[in-house]
Amino acid sequence: MKRKGPHTVTPAELIAKKRDGCELSRDEIAFVIRGFVDGSIPDYQMSALAMAIFFQGMQDEETASLMQEMLLSGVRLEWEPGSPIVDKHSTGGVGDKVSLVLAPLLAACGLRVPMISGRGLGATGGTLDKLESISGFRTDLSISAMQAIVERVGCVITGATEDLVPADRKLYGLRDVTATVPSIPLITASIISKKLAESLDALVLDVKCGSGAFMKTRDQAVELAQSMVRAGQRMGVRTTALVTDMNQPLGRMCGNAVELDETLDCLAGEGPDDLRYVTLALGSELLVSAQRCTTPAEAEALLVDRLDSGAAREVFEQMVVAQGGSLKVGCRVAPEQAVLAEKSGFVTKMNTEALGMAVIDLGGGRRKMGDSVNHSVGIEMRVKIGDEVSAGEPLARVFADRKVPAIISRVAGAIMIEDTHAEWPDFIVEYVR
Ligand code: URA
């Protein structure tokens, strides 16, 4: 491809420039992204550039240019004047059902929440898949339908439409097959451009860290969180991040229908402590950033009131109805099989990614895009890191329609039992503001 870019530079010369560690200008990045979207820059050149970025990284200025060009490739939502528009984005974890609780909870606190979510791929579950456990629930809303629901109910959780950041959709497809997903500037531009397209006033990022997360170490997770916070703030969106623990599943349930049940427990003021704690912490960030509350303590008191009074649950029910679903028809959960401890001791570690993959292998998630999902399967964790267990005690329950001895032994093998006691990990590892 010999097409000339700014100052008559060819795409190959731009790739070489990045490969050699030089900075690309805004014009050069605009040339590449526009050409990639209109098809004049072919996939092989874009893949080569993604690989050069993967190895050389980008300066903040370049990441911002990439993000802005990706944003310009699609539409941007416009909102009626009114209460603040906010959203939360999670980098993905096992048992992470925070979005399902947080969107209606924030709406019950008077914020507008247009939550555009994704599907599960790899070990982490997808918010849309969990919601599709609800009979009739639609996640393919048009932009106008989505905006109408936000104005009426206060929140919506739906999938991205074709016209929201098409450059990211196309580039992510290439990164997925060229091993260039785990690059901090590429992730930052991808996630923040999609959030900017929602025209938010405030954004909170939940960057998961640990054995079930994309970012395995605290340092990597903090670096990603800082990069995304800088990018959001630079574009005028009040952006903060929490780095949260993913060394074990969040809550007890992993799967689709079972996670929806746990969501409803949390919306009834019950449910597991870690899910409630992380949800309240993320919600407090947004209430303060959106200037609905002046301190985190005031924000938390408001959130607790809206959760325990049933107000958030009411908004959730309204959202379900507005999106075509019905909670009257219960979600089926497959029969249970116990996973028992083979020895006594303390739970010291979990291979959370292996637990997520066990859910996928039960049929609860996708190995590749387009695979169908069985909403009724899953795993309930009966122990947490730090718990003492006796031989023969249940560690977990697996929900499946057939006998799954291989999965039962994989789940048992993913839960490490040792003689010495381990501390409960902190739910929140770091605040990035
Ligand atoms: N999720 C995204 O939306 N984009 C990335 O690049 C990685 C995870």
Side-chain angles (χ1 to χ4, degrees):
M1 163 51 72
K2 282 274 190 296
R3 194 184 130 164
K4 297 287 182 181
H7 318 298
T8 68
V9 178
T10 65
E13 285 162 341
L14 289 183
I15 296 165
K17 194 171 166 189
K18 189 75 247 175
R19 180 202 63 202
D20 295 341
C22 300
E23 240 179 90
L24 300 181
S25 69
R26 171 74 194 250
D27 281 354
E28 288 167 338
I29 290 171
F31 166 68
V32 175
I33 295 300
R34 289 172 202 179
F36 177 55
V37 171
D38 72 22
S40 58
I41 292 191
D43 287 1
Y44 53 82
Q45 286 186 313
M46 195 64 217
S47 305
L49 182 62
M51 191 58 87
I53 295 170
F54 178 89
F55 282 114
Q56 294 293 353
M58 279 181 139
Q59 299 298 319
D60 275 3
E61 197 68 33
E62 293 175 283
T63 307
S65 298
L66 180 60
M67 175 177 80
Q68 282 163 289
E69 280 309 318
M70 290 187 10
L71 175 63
L72 287 173
S73 72
V75 300
R76 222 175 152 174
L77 305 190
E78 284 174 24
W79 296 101
E80 298 292 331
S83 53
I85 307 282
V86 303
D87 197 3
K88 184 263 323 180
H89 178 86
S90 161
T91 55
V94 178
D96 180 6
K97 70 274 301 167
V98 169
S99 293
L100 303 185
V101 183
L102 189 59
L105 177 56
L106 291 167
C109 296
L111 302 179
R112 289 181 288 175
V113 193
M115 197 174 266
I116 297 181
S117 289
R119 300 194 174 277
L121 192 62
T124 65
T127 297
L128 300 182
D129 298 320
K130 292 167 202 180
L131 282 167
E132 284 170 355
S133 310
I134 301 172
S135 158
F137 194 94
R138 286 192 48 198
T139 56
D140 60 349
L141 305 178
S142 66
I143 289 182
S144 58
M146 171 186 137
Q147 290 189 289
I149 294 174
V150 171
E151 297 301 352
R152 202 167 71 246
V153 174
C155 65
V156 73
I157 308 180
T158 186
T161 61
E162 296 284 322
D163 41 6
L164 275 170
V165 199
D168 176 64
R169 189 183 298 262
K170 204 169 170 198
L171 181 53
Y172 193 85
L174 274 191
R175 289 168 57 209
D176 200 26
V177 293
T178 54
T180 50
V181 170
S183 147
I184 286 181
L186 292 176
I187 298 172
T188 300
S190 165
I191 291 177
I192 304 296
S193 62
K194 284 179 287 196
K195 295 293 129 186
L196 292 174
E198 294 174 12
S199 302
L200 302 176
D201 295 300
L203 168 66
V204 68
L205 299 154
D206 181 4
V207 180
K208 301 281 182 202
C209 157
S211 65
F214 202 29
M215 295 291 162
K216 303 287 181 217
T217 70
R218 180 186 183 129
D219 285 354
Q220 287 172 334
V222 170
E223 194 186 339
L224 177 60
Q226 288 171 336
S227 169
M228 292 197 289
V229 167
R230 284 197 305 272
Q233 287 178 349
R234 186 184 180 114
M235 295 300 291
V237 178
R238 291 188 287 271
T239 308
T240 62
L242 300 188
V243 176
T244 64
D245 183 68
M246 190 33 69
N247 283 302
Q248 56 188 332
L250 187 66
R252 286 194 306 272
M253 298 298 189
C254 312
N256 296 297
V258 288
E259 284 195 47
L260 187 76
D261 285 345
E262 193 165 61
T263 298
L264 295 174
D265 288 346
C266 191
L267 285 168
E270 296 158 9
D273 291 346
D274 54 352
L275 173 61
R276 182 175 164 104
Y277 189 91
V278 171
T279 305
L280 293 177
L282 290 161
S284 297
E285 289 292 303
L286 279 175
L287 285 171
V288 173
S289 297
Q291 296 168 337
R292 173 79 174 78
C293 296
T294 46
T295 62
E298 186 197 335
E300 189 174 328
L302 179 62
L303 291 162
V304 165
D305 174 73
R306 296 299 191 271
L307 202 51
D308 295 346
S309 67
R313 160 86 195 211
E314 238 170 76
V315 176
F316 184 79
E317 286 170 8
Q318 289 165 12
M319 180 187 82
V320 167
V321 171
Q323 295 191 231
S326 169
L327 288 170
K328 290 200 184 103
V329 192
C331 315
R332 189 179 88 84
V333 174
E336 66 181 70
Q337 297 165 49
V339 179
L340 303 177
E342 282 167 14
K343 60 175 192 172
S344 301
F346 297 93
V347 179
T348 55
K349 253 191 235 153
M350 292 195 197
N351 182 343
T352 313
E353 192 167 351
L355 294 168
M357 290 314 293
V359 175
I360 311 278
D361 290 344
L362 285 167
R366 297 178 186 77
R367 282 210 165 260
K368 57 180 190 325
M369 276 299 176
D371 284 353
S372 65
V373 166
N374 180 346
H375 294 100
S376 70
V377 300
I379 300 175
E380 179 187 7
M381 303 303 298
R382 303 298 295 262
V383 290
K384 287 279 185 188
I385 292 174
D387 287 355
E388 185 170 8
V389 294
S390 305
E393 219 180 277
L395 297 175
R397 293 194 292 168
V398 169
F399 303 100
D401 284 312
R402 61 196 156 85
K403 290 279 168 223
V404 284
I407 289 186
I408 301 256
S409 64
R410 272 166 54 194
V411 171
I415 303 169
M416 193 85 69
I417 298 173
E418 292 178 303
D419 295 334
T420 46
H421 178 256
E423 294 298 320
W424 266 62
D426 290 334
F427 301 145
I428 297 174
V429 176
E430 191 136 342
Y431 291 80
V432 178
R433 292 176 173 134

